[in-house]
Amino acid sequence: MVWGFIAYDSRSTLIVMRGTLTGQRYVDDILVPHVGPFLHGLPGAIFQQDNAHPHTARVAQDFLRHFQTLPWPTRSPDLSPVEHVWDQLKRQIPSCHLYMIWSWLFKSFGPICLRTI
């Protein structure tokens, strides 16, 4: 799995998660080291995520209670702006070995125009 976030005028680096993403791994590997510091640096920021199981796990919700979050309607992935970024990347992805796809993905995420985001 590849995880990344976008904001009005910035984006995260991509994070590759091998194996199953549990609520605890989501907190330990994504929220604490990446999301928390980013949100602390943006007073008034609202964090948006979908209702994937790791996002709704009690451990993740406990961590996020310190931040303002956007309530998420059930079964509505098309509302997430980052889905449009993932779609753009998927349409451009080359047909090649998985290692090459990872390399291409990391090179392609950074240059996406912030206007597109």
Side-chain angles (χ1 to χ4, degrees), residues 15 17 21-37 54 59-60 63:
I15 301 162
M17 301 288 297
L21 183 62
T22 63
Q24 190 63 57
R25 282 192 71 204
Y26 181 54
V27 171
D28 294 342
D29 298 344
I30 294 173
L31 294 179
V32 170
H34 302 283
V35 174
V59 66
F63 176 83

Side-chain angles (χ1 to χ4, degrees), residues 51-104:
N51 287 325
H53 291 294
H55 302 168
T56 59
R58 180 180 301 269
V59 66
Q61 293 301 304
D62 287 348
F63 176 83
L64 289 170
R65 75 173 185 265
H66 302 290
F67 302 99
Q68 186 174 359
T69 59
L70 185 67
W72 194 257
T74 307
R75 293 185 174 86
S76 53
D78 57 326
L79 295 176
S80 176
V82 78
E83 293 302 327
H84 301 288
V85 174
W86 296 134
D87 182 58
Q88 180 180 353
L89 287 169
K90 283 185 231 176
R91 283 188 266 134
Q92 298 174 19
I93 202 162
S95 294
C96 55
H97 187 270
L98 185 58
Y99 173 78
M100 297 298 289
I101 291 172
W102 287 122
S103 176
W104 176 88

Side-chain angles (χ1 to χ4, degrees), residues 39 42 44-48 68-71:
L39 292 176
L42 290 175
I46 300 171
F47 184 64
Q48 178 183 10
Q68 186 174 359
T69 59
L70 185 67

